[in-house]
């Protein structure tokens, strides 16, 4: 019960994420076509490599389905994590892809765009419709319904395999970005820290996509540097101050020759 509540809270928290995937599902084929083909024909192998890479190649951190399923932590993962991961990607391929996706989203505060949600939702709906047609065709015994169910099942399998391949390519590109394979990022002043308030409906953006400052404003909220000036400044010395060797200035106190006063030493 506690684990289900924690997973529900994680799902609600993902709705407030503000970062985006480096490449959406529609652009993954153009972004990395060879890897997309590899993920299409060798999906379980790619899922194994991506999960291991998502864990920074530290298999001691491995938990079945990344801790998002009721069986997580109960399959003896600590004794043989490589074998457990291989079993997961071959027997629960869809869950392995989704778990890696959730793992990256929670690590980098990445939200799924509406377009990606529509593609994933269409995949699930098509699978449900194909399953319903197969059950009805088995009950009724109609050849027409049987052929229609087979066509729908074939279409749902094609959509499922292609969407999973695009999702795994999307994960791979995101980890390429994480590992700096797109080249060094330019150095920049870190943004100002923001405190989250209780009455704040949307938390401040976090992750590795800082907001850009407005035009004409200093980056990061730091005050502008004072204008450079020479030494001494132009307003030094002030007006009226004696120049050159005129010291003491004329009319100063006491007047010359009046100190010490006459008779001071008893003369």
């Amino acid at each position: 019960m506690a684990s289900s509540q924690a997973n529900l809270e994680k799902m609600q928290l993902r709705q407030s994420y503000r970062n985006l995937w480096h490449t959406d599902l529609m652009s993954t084929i153009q972004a990395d076509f060879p890897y997309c083909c590899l993920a299409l024909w060798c999906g379980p192998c790619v899922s194994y490599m991506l999960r291991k890479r998502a864990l920074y190649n530290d298999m001691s951190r491995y938990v079945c389905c990344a801790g998002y399923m009721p069986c997580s932590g109960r399959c003896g993962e600590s004794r043989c994590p490589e074998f457990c991961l291989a079993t997961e990607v071959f027997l629960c391929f869809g869950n392995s892809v989704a778990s890696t996706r959730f793992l990256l989203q929670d690590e980098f505060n990445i939200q799924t765009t509406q377009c990606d949600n529509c593609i994933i939702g269409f995949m699930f709906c098509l699978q449900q419709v194909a399953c319903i047609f197969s059950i009805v065709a088995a009950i009724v015994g109609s050849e027409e319904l049987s052929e229609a169910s087979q066509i729908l099942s074939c279409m749902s399998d094609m959509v499922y395999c292609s969407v999973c391949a695009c999702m795994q390519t999307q994960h791979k590109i995101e980890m390429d970005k994480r590992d700096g394979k797109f080249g060094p990022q330019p150095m920049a002043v870190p943004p100002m820290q923001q405190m989250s308030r209780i009455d704040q409906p949307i938390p401040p953006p976090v992750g590795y996509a800082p907001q850009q400052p407005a035009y004409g404003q200093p980056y990061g909220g730091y005050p502008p540097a004072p204008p450079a000036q020479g030494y001494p400044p132009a307003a030094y010395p002030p007006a009226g101050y004696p120049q050159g060797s005129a010291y003491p200035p004329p009319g100063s106190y006491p007047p010359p020759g009046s100190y010490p006063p006459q008779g001071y030493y008893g003369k």
Side-chain angles (χ1 to χ4, degrees):
M1 183 66 182
S3 60
S4 300
Q5 183 66 24
N7 292 333
L8 181 61
E9 292 177 356
K10 285 184 178 180
M11 294 179 62
Q12 295 176 351
L13 182 62
R14 291 191 189 103
Q15 299 178 0
S16 63
Y17 291 166
R18 289 294 175 266
N19 293 324
L20 299 176
W21 294 98
H22 187 75
T23 303
D24 57 8
L25 289 178
M26 296 292 293
S27 305
T28 52
I29 298 178
Q30 298 177 355
D32 198 338
F33 179 74
Y35 197 88
C36 191
C37 293
L38 176 64
L40 179 63
W41 297 107
C42 304
C45 299
V46 171
S47 181
Y48 183 97
M49 292 185 296
L50 289 178
R51 176 66 65 77
K52 186 176 181 181
R53 185 178 173 187
L55 297 174
Y56 298 89
N57 295 322
D58 183 9
M59 292 302 293
S60 63
R61 301 172 53 190
Y62 170 76
V63 180
C64 181
C65 296
Y68 297 106
M69 297 297 169
C71 62
S72 300
R74 303 177 181 179
C75 302
E77 302 95 327
S78 59
R79 293 192 295 270
C80 190
E82 290 81 5
F83 177 78
C84 291
L85 178 57
T87 305
E88 175 190 340
V89 298
F90 279 99
L91 299 183
C92 306
F93 173 70
N95 288 338
S96 68
V97 175
S99 299
T100 303
R101 186 177 188 84
F102 295 152
L103 192 65
L104 295 175
Q105 284 186 284
D106 293 340
E107 181 179 1
F108 301 121
N109 298 330
I110 301 175
Q111 64 172 329
T112 301
T113 62
Q114 294 183 358
C115 181
D116 290 359
N117 283 331
C118 290
I119 294 174
I120 298 172
F122 174 74
M123 176 187 68
F124 287 140
C125 290
L126 190 58
Q127 287 179 336
Q128 297 298 324
V129 172
C131 181
I132 292 174
F133 264 74
S134 299
I135 295 174
V136 173
I139 295 175
V140 176
S142 173
E143 294 182 359
E144 291 78 5
L145 286 178
S146 178
E147 292 179 358
S149 66
Q150 290 178 4
I151 293 174
L152 283 175
S153 297
C154 183
M155 292 177 57
S156 65
D157 291 341
M158 292 176 59
V159 172
Y160 173 78
C161 293
S162 60
V163 171
C164 286
C166 292
M167 289 175 63
Q168 297 208 89
T169 306
Q170 188 181 49
H171 303 164
K172 182 257 184 185
I173 294 174
E174 195 66 29
M175 284 187 281
D176 286 346
K177 175 184 175 182
R178 178 197 70 181
D179 299 338
K181 293 190 176 182
F182 294 148
Q185 300 295 329
M187 297 295 293
V189 180
M192 294 181 61
Q193 295 183 356
Q194 301 181 15
M195 297 183 63
S196 177
R197 304 189 304 272
I198 297 178
D199 58 344
Q200 187 176 9
I202 300 177
V206 291
Y208 49 91
Q211 295 180 349
Q212 297 296 328
Y215 180 77
Q217 298 295 328
Y219 194 96
Y222 291 100
Q229 58 182 1
Y231 183 87
Y236 184 88
Y241 196 85
Q243 303 291 334
S245 59
Y247 186 87
S252 58
Y253 185 84
S258 62
Y259 189 85
Q262 296 180 1
Y264 183 80
Y265 296 104
K267 292 183 181 181

